[in-house]
Amino acid sequence: MAAKDIQTWLNEYGESHQNKTNKAIHWFCVPLIYWCVMAFIWVIPTPAAFAQTAYLNWASIISVLVILYYVRLSPSLAIGMALFTALCFFTVAMVDSAFPGQLLTIAIVAFVLLWVGQFIGHKIEGKKPSFFKDVQFLMFGPAWLMSFIYQKMGVKY
């Protein structure tokens, strides 16, 4: 079985995201859910050896792996995802610094509320979220949104 290309993934993801209200909800919720997941990973304790390098933690390591996944599918789209991931990484660091010991609580509350929003959007749409079909679709919400930004800018992916 041949691996799916990026456009196939994005098209399949888009099948359950046609309703304007659901799309608007996704534009708000998906980037923030991505941020929450990074925050969850950020708070995982790291080995002492990681302390030798600023910002070396599980979130930075996982971020590199996620970007490599996107590079495999679309080097161009991976650049946008890398920039967005870096923005998330540094805002997670800022929130963690501004609210010591509260990052996990903030992320959990936001994550739950954002997923409620997502499910409301899909109820309005009348279609189940794509990840019920294939869990890999959880990786494509942010890329799907990035593809619209690329289209507006005339950038090929």
Side-chain angles (χ1 to χ4, degrees):
M1 177 191 303
K4 293 181 190 178
D5 67 4
I6 188 67
Q7 195 58 56
T8 300
W9 280 109
L10 297 176
N11 289 345
E12 285 185 37
Y13 185 88
E15 289 172 9
S16 61
H17 301 88
Q18 299 296 309
N19 178 280
K20 283 186 177 189
T21 302
N22 189 27
K23 282 184 180 180
I25 289 169
H26 276 63
W27 274 99
F28 178 77
C29 293
V30 167
L32 292 172
I33 289 170
Y34 191 91
W35 183 93
C36 289
V37 170
M38 181 166 293
F40 294 152
I41 298 167
W42 182 275
V43 299
I44 297 171
T46 56
F50 284 27
Q52 304 299 322
T53 305
Y55 299 112
L56 178 59
N57 58 35
W58 294 117
S60 60
I61 293 167
I62 298 297
S63 293
V64 169
L65 296 175
V66 166
I67 299 308
L68 289 174
Y69 177 78
Y70 287 126
V71 166
R72 185 179 66 83
L73 293 166
S74 168
S76 173
L77 199 57
I79 293 168
M81 290 306 303
L83 292 172
F84 177 66
T85 299
L87 175 66
C88 289
F89 185 87
F90 289 110
T91 57
V92 165
M94 288 172 42
V95 170
D96 190 35
S97 178
F99 303 99
Q102 298 301 308
L103 180 61
L104 183 58
T105 302
I106 292 166
I108 288 171
V109 170
F111 188 81
V112 169
L113 293 174
L114 292 163
W115 272 106
V116 168
Q118 292 281 83
F119 282 105
I120 289 169
H122 279 286
K123 179 74 172 165
I124 292 166
E125 176 93 33
K127 294 181 183 172
K128 292 179 183 176
S130 302
F131 73 85
F132 284 161
K133 177 181 171 186
D134 185 335
V135 74
Q136 290 182 81
F137 279 112
L138 289 171
M139 295 288 293
F140 288 95
W144 182 70
L145 295 175
M146 189 65 66
S147 74
F148 286 103
I149 294 169
Y150 273 40
Q151 289 170 15
K152 284 262 189 213
M153 294 172 41
V155 176
K156 294 185 189 272
Y157 57 87

